[in-house]
Amino acid sequence: MRIVLKIGGSVIASPINPDLIAQYIALLKDLRAKGHEVAVVVGGGTLAREFIGIAKQLKLQEEAQDKIAISVSRLFAQLFLEKLGDIGCGAVPLTIEETAKCLSKGKVAVMGGLKPGMTTDTVAALIVKKVKADLLVKASDQDGVYDKDPRKYSDAVRFDHLSFETLSLVFTKDKHEAGIHQILDPEAIRLLRSRKAKVVVVNGFRPENVMTAVDGKRVGTLID
Ligand code: UTP
């Protein structure tokens, strides 16, 4: 199977968690040993936000702030690639095309951000589209998609299964709830919906959830 895995910066980098990163490296090796093709996108987490704060204090424009945050996410991508060694594509791809090329060589690609004005969710969705991936797994800091922000509402209910249509409705209804917003960027949803890709949002603090999703077993929220 061709898989894109988005690992939230909120999961591996807020604070930076070397043990968890090592667990993800082991997972990537397992996925590859099972014959899967994998492209990974990592976010920059609190370190990226810290740098955005510094850039703001220096009165840099939003585009420069984004570029700094992208560099931070690429730093995490490099960490992954150094640790992956031969099975990885060596350098961090700077474009979707480079990621596609890396996959076609049978290597694991690990990207950070792409360009200002987007999020790493959208980067993951662009890769899905480019390489016609079968599945996108988002390793998130929540257990899945809820009908409202679970950090604010104790009665929030998690969806086991959602269509893209219903997901869009949840967004329309709860546009103002930042928590919902964060679970999957709307631009990414639009791209994934047009591609008819299967998406699973899982709790990324347990990397084994990713394998469960790849094996087609029930975990987190399935969106299709
Ligand atoms: P993300 O929001 O994707 O990373 O990017 P995160 O916070 O680590 O991810 P999650 O929420 O845990 O999944 C952080 C910031 O980096 C800039 C944007 O400013 C974004 O808000 N960025 C990232 C870009 O400008 N372009 C990119 O392609 C990626």
Side-chain angles (χ1 to χ4, degrees):
M1 199 163 24
R2 192 168 281 173
I3 302 154
V4 179
L5 171 61
K6 156 71 202 278
I7 310 176
S10 50
V11 174
I12 49 142
S14 307
I16 299 165
N17 187 338
D19 279 347
L20 194 54
I21 293 174
Q23 288 176 45
Y24 271 106
I25 298 295
L27 171 88
L28 292 171
K29 289 182 176 165
D30 277 358
L31 284 169
R32 199 158 170 277
K34 288 186 174 180
H36 298 298
E37 284 179 43
V38 199
V40 183
V41 185
V42 290
T46 47
L47 187 61
R49 277 192 286 280
E50 222 172 283
F51 269 92
I52 288 176
I54 295 164
K56 273 184 186 153
Q57 281 182 41
L58 289 170
K59 308 231 179 325
L60 289 170
Q61 300 290 309
E62 211 157 298
E63 186 175 336
Q65 296 172 20
D66 279 354
K67 278 154 81 180
I68 300 284
I70 291 168
S71 293
V72 174
S73 64
R74 286 178 176 161
L75 202 55
F76 287 109
Q78 188 186 356
L79 207 53
F80 268 74
L81 283 169
E82 298 292 350
K83 193 66 191 159
L84 278 172
D86 280 352
I87 70 161
C89 58
V92 177
L94 303 183
T95 62
I96 302 293
E97 288 70 28
E98 278 175 41
T99 286
K101 207 177 274 176
C102 166
L103 288 184
S104 70
K105 287 182 188 151
K107 302 278 188 186
V108 177
V110 189
M111 268 194 97
L114 180 63
K115 59 182 177 202
M118 53 171 73
T119 70
T120 45
D121 280 352
T122 302
V123 178
L126 287 168
I127 300 173
V128 166
K129 216 170 163 180
K130 173 77 182 175
V131 306
K132 299 187 172 57
D134 307 290
L135 174 69
L136 167 66
V137 182
K138 170 148 183 179
S140 145
D141 60 351
Q142 293 175 43
D143 285 325
V145 181
Y146 287 77
D147 61 344
K148 49 192 167 190
D149 189 345
R151 285 170 294 203
K152 282 190 194 151
Y153 302 95
S154 57
D155 62 339
V157 178
R158 196 188 74 208
F159 295 102
D160 286 335
H161 186 189
L162 264 178
S163 64
F164 279 105
E165 287 74 14
T166 316
L167 184 63
S168 305
L169 287 177
V170 173
F171 272 111
T172 323
K173 193 178 113 219
D174 258 320
K175 247 204 303 259
H176 309 294
E177 298 297 339
I180 300 271
H181 227 80
Q182 277 169 11
I183 199 82
L184 206 60
D185 168 328
E187 174 63 10
I189 293 171
R190 198 186 55 75
L191 285 163
L192 293 164
R193 187 177 177 177
S194 72
R195 159 73 197 135
K196 294 188 171 56
K198 200 165 111 176
V199 181
V200 183
V201 179
V202 301
N203 180 336
F205 291 106
R206 274 183 249 115
E208 63 271 22
N209 285 339
V210 177
M211 193 59 91
T212 308
V214 169
D215 290 342
K217 296 184 196 138
R218 181 169 235 175
V219 63
T221 300
L222 167 67
I223 309 160
D224 61 3

